[in-house]
Amino acid sequence: EVQLVESGGGLVQPGGSLRLSCAASGFTFSSYDMHWVRQATGKGLEWVSAIGTAGDTYYPGSVKGRFTISRENAKNSLYLQMNSLRAGDTAVYYCAREQGETGELDYWGQGTLVTVSS
Amino acid sequence: SYVLTQPPSVSVAPGQTARITCGGNNIGSKSVHWYQQKPGQAPVLVVYDDSDRPSGIPERFSGSNSGNTATLTISRVEAGDEADYYCQVWDSSSDHPGVVFGGGTKLTVL
């Protein structure tokens, strides 16, 4: 059974940093592209980053230069290093697996809440 | 950057057909994916590559994509279908290629 379990969320002050982790199991982690998607309370889904099997990374303009996605295949783990956090980064952060070649996300974790506040 | 436009809400009576649209410039040239999200839960993929269904998704869920509009169709709507629905594409055309989501549509079952 495919499982994705996020951890590392919490309360952080504006300007601070946080590192999220996603533990994957039930599939060959190294063979799949992986993503982070976030959702502020009462708002829609917002894509945050992606990493390919070769380590290629992708970000939207809103987080590029502040967030860094990485993976450690030996540990079946995905990470998101978040720096220079702002109030607008407050959201539930989901990790998700990309199924195929066109960006569809077939499995999602349950999310971890990040709150940026003083 | 590429923009996907969804109606904020759609209402339908049980047993009827719900159609949720997703507009984008020449979206017919892209592969569109659809997600269902119920309150307090993670999104679930219900249609991918315009019209394919993951295993375990009822045949009542179908999709189409042409021109500037993609459509998720839910036939014989049930109370349990009440949820938020999001369309999504991969945009490779911008300076920052990546995933784009529509704003979401709340489906209400009357």
Side-chain angles (χ1 to χ4, degrees):
Chain A
E1 177 192 7
V2 172
Q3 284 198 322
L4 298 169
V5 179
E6 302 93 339
S7 61
L11 175 64
V12 61
Q13 292 189 339
S17 298
L18 208 58
R19 188 196 196 205
L20 305 183
S21 300
C22 173
S25 61
F27 65 102
T28 305
F29 178 73
S30 60
S31 297
Y32 289 83
D33 296 352
M34 299 294 295
H35 296 246
W36 288 97
V37 176
R38 68 185 180 185
Q39 185 173 37
T41 302
K43 302 298 184 182
L45 301 174
E46 181 185 13
W47 175 70
V48 173
S49 61
I51 186 167
T53 56
D56 44 316
T57 59
Y58 305 87
Y59 306 91
S62 58
V63 307
K64 191 173 179 64
R66 299 190 300 124
F67 291 9
T68 302
I69 188 173
S70 62
R71 65 191 303 161
E72 192 168 356
N73 291 336
K75 294 187 174 181
N76 291 331
S77 292
L78 178 72
Y79 306 102
L80 184 68
Q81 177 67 42
M82 302 185 295
N83 299 330
S84 303
L85 283 163
R86 309 163 179 166
D89 297 317
T90 295
V92 173
Y93 285 72
Y94 297 100
C95 70
R97 185 183 85 166
E98 181 177 326
Q99 171 181 264
E101 300 295 324
T102 55
E104 69 270 30
L105 306 176
D106 64 340
Y107 282 94
W108 297 61
Q110 283 305 302
T112 186
L113 176 62
V114 172
T115 303
V116 183
S117 175
S118 55
Chain B
S1 61
Y2 195 75
V3 176
L4 296 175
T5 301
Q6 298 182 236
S9 63
V10 168
S11 299
V12 64
Q16 300 303 302
T17 297
R19 294 179 179 85
I20 300 172
T21 59
C22 176
N25 184 35
N26 197 26
I27 195 174
S29 67
K30 301 181 183 295
S31 292
V32 179
H33 319 299
W34 291 91
Y35 302 88
Q36 176 193 69
Q37 187 182 33
K38 296 182 179 180
Q41 298 183 17
V44 173
L45 181 68
V46 294
V47 167
Y48 67 98
D49 289 347
D50 299 339
S51 59
D52 290 335
R53 275 187 316 277
S55 60
I57 300 301
E59 291 183 4
R60 301 185 298 104
F61 289 81
S62 63
S64 62
N65 183 20
S66 178
N68 294 317
T69 305
T71 303
L72 174 69
T73 301
I74 309 172
S75 304
R76 302 181 300 282
V77 167
E78 303 173 356
D81 297 331
E82 187 161 285
D84 294 325
Y85 291 85
Y86 296 89
C87 59
Q88 177 244 313
V89 301
W90 174 270
D91 176 36
S92 57
S93 62
S94 70
D95 291 341
H96 298 290
V99 167
V100 178
F101 288 102
T105 298
K106 180 175 180 58
L107 176 66
T108 299
V109 181
L110 302 171

